[in-house]
Amino acid sequence: MDGKALAKLIQSEIKQRVADHVAAGNPQPKLAAVLVGDDPASKVYVRNKERACERVGIASELHRLSGDIDHDQLLALVNELNRDDDVNGILVQLPLPDQIDEQAILDTIDPLKDVDAFHPENVGLLSQGRPRFLPCTPHGIVQLLDRHDVDCSGKSAVVIGRSDIVGKPIASMLMQKSLPNIKAGNATVTVCHSRTQDLAGVCRQADILIAAIGRANFVTAEMVKPGAVVIDVGINRLDGKLVGDVDFDAVSQVAGMLTPVPGGVGPLTVTMLLENTLMGAKIQNRVAVS
Ligand code: GUN
C-alpha cells in the first residue's frame, strides 16, 4: 500500500476544498504549531507539517520554544492561541520536556481547535461514535483501508499497542458501527499489549493487523495470517535506517497488503492534520461541515 501516493491524492482534494472555502469569502485556514526543545525527530515532523500546509494553501505559524521553558509559559502560549481568531488549529508537538505536565497542556487546547483530537472532549465524542475531529494517524489508517477497498465489517482486527495516540483510537474507530465519511468499521477488535499471552497466536487470527508498538521489526511472518492486511505504524531507527514495527521483507511474502516504512502511514498522518485544520476553520467560521 503506497501511502505517499495516496497522501498526494488526498492532499490534492484538500487543496481544492481549501480553495473553495476561501473563494466562499472565508479567511485562509491557519495552523499554529508549537515545538518545545530540539528533539531532532520532532523538528522533522513539524517541518513536514508546515510544508504540507503550504502545499494545500493552509497558512501556518511555528512557535519554537526553548527546552527549558516552564509549564506556565507554555500554558500561557496555548491560551493565547486559543483566543487568537486567526488560528483554526493548534498542534503541540509531543513529547514535551519532563518539567511540563503534558496532559494539562493538551487539556487546555480549545477542543474546537484540537486538530490532534487529543482533548478528552474529542476522545469522548469519538468513543461515542460522533467525532468532531478524528485523530490523525488512526484517520490515516482508515483512509488507507477505505481507499484500498478493505472491507472490515465482521472481520478480525488486531491492534498491537494501546497508546492514546494510535492504539486506543484506532481500536475505537474500527469497532464503530458507523462514522461520517468512513467505510471501515464493524470489525471485531482485539487490542494486544505487553501483558498479552500468546501474542503471536492472537495476531495470527487477524484479517487486519495494526502494529503500533514502537519496536523495530517486531512483527514476523509467523505472526501473520496468509492474505492479511498489515498496517505498520512504527517509525524506528535501526543502524541509521528508518524501519517499522513489521519485518517488511518477511511479512510481504505472507500478507495480502502491507504498508512500507517510510512511505506508508506517515504521509497520511500529515494529510489528516490538514483535513482537521480545514475542519477547524469551518467550525470556527460556522460553515457547514460535510
Ligand atoms: N508526536 C508523535 N506523533 C504526534 C502526533 O500525532 N501529534 C503530536 N502533536 N505530536 C506527536
Side-chain angles (χ1 to χ4, degrees):
M1 294 164 124
D2 183 348
K4 212 168 154 184
L6 179 56
K8 198 169 171 196
L9 171 70
I10 299 178
Q11 286 185 20
S12 71
E13 296 167 4
I14 294 173
K15 183 176 181 177
Q16 184 59 52
R17 286 163 54 218
V18 170
D20 293 346
H21 178 79
V22 173
N26 297 294
Q28 186 185 22
K30 184 174 183 178
L31 174 73
V34 179
L35 177 62
V36 183
D38 42 25
D39 176 64
S42 291
K43 277 186 183 166
V44 172
Y45 294 148
V46 168
R47 196 180 318 129
N48 286 343
K49 290 168 185 180
E50 283 188 290
R51 284 198 189 133
C53 281
E54 203 175 314
R55 278 200 297 277
V56 302
I58 291 177
S60 68
E61 62 181 34
L62 173 60
H63 298 263
R64 298 185 70 147
L65 303 175
S66 147
D68 58 11
I69 188 178
D70 69 38
H71 179 81
D72 289 344
Q73 286 172 288
L74 181 55
L75 208 58
L77 172 61
V78 170
N79 277 314
E80 192 186 307
L81 297 173
N82 282 344
R83 285 190 300 269
D84 186 341
D85 288 340
D86 293 340
V87 168
N88 306 118
I90 301 172
L91 175 134
V92 178
Q93 186 67 25
L94 305 179
L96 292 170
D98 290 345
Q99 76 275 16
I100 290 170
D101 178 350
E102 193 167 285
Q103 194 63 59
I105 297 294
L106 299 180
D107 289 358
T108 303
I109 294 174
D110 181 342
L112 298 176
K113 298 186 178 185
D114 173 33
V115 285
D116 267 321
F118 291 163
H119 190 285
E121 183 176 311
N122 289 319
V123 175
L125 286 170
L126 169 60
S127 168
Q128 291 185 338
R130 48 185 191 123
R132 178 187 287 134
F133 297 108
L134 291 170
C136 300
T137 299
H139 193 184
I141 294 170
V142 296
Q143 287 297 329
L144 274 162
L145 296 173
D146 280 4
R147 293 183 186 235
H148 286 83
D149 291 320
V150 176
D151 181 11
C152 298
S153 181
K155 300 285 172 55
S156 165
V158 172
V159 179
I160 322 176
R162 52 178 160 182
S163 69
D164 290 338
I165 297 187
V166 183
K168 284 180 201 162
I170 188 62
S172 174
M173 287 169 75
L174 291 176
M175 79 168 80
Q176 298 288 338
K177 204 174 215 173
S178 72
L179 289 173
N181 303 318
I182 303 283
K183 286 186 281 178
N186 289 303
T188 303
V189 180
T190 305
V191 180
C192 295
H193 46 75
S194 52
R195 303 287 175 95
T196 298
Q197 292 182 2
D198 188 20
L199 186 121
V202 177
C203 291
R204 256 195 315 274
Q205 303 294 315
D207 300 304
I208 299 134
L209 181 62
I210 316 251
I213 31 197
R215 287 176 60 180
N217 298 329
F218 181 84
V219 175
T220 58
E222 296 71 43
M223 295 165 71
V224 176
K225 180 175 174 174
V229 176
V230 181
I231 306 284
D232 189 350
V233 188
I235 303 177
N236 312 290
R237 211 162 264 285
L238 189 68
D239 304 329
K241 218 178 116 200
L242 274 192
V243 296
D245 290 350
V246 176
D247 180 347
F248 186 89
D249 291 340
V251 170
S252 61
Q253 305 296 312
V254 185
M257 291 188 213
L258 171 62
T259 60
V261 176
V265 174
L268 287 154
T269 296
V270 178
T271 305
M272 294 307 124
L273 175 69
L274 306 174
E275 170 77 38
N276 283 353
T277 305
L278 175 57
M279 173 85 79
K282 290 192 174 195
I283 292 170
Q284 280 133 47
N285 291 288
R286 298 192 163 71
V287 177
V289 177
S290 56

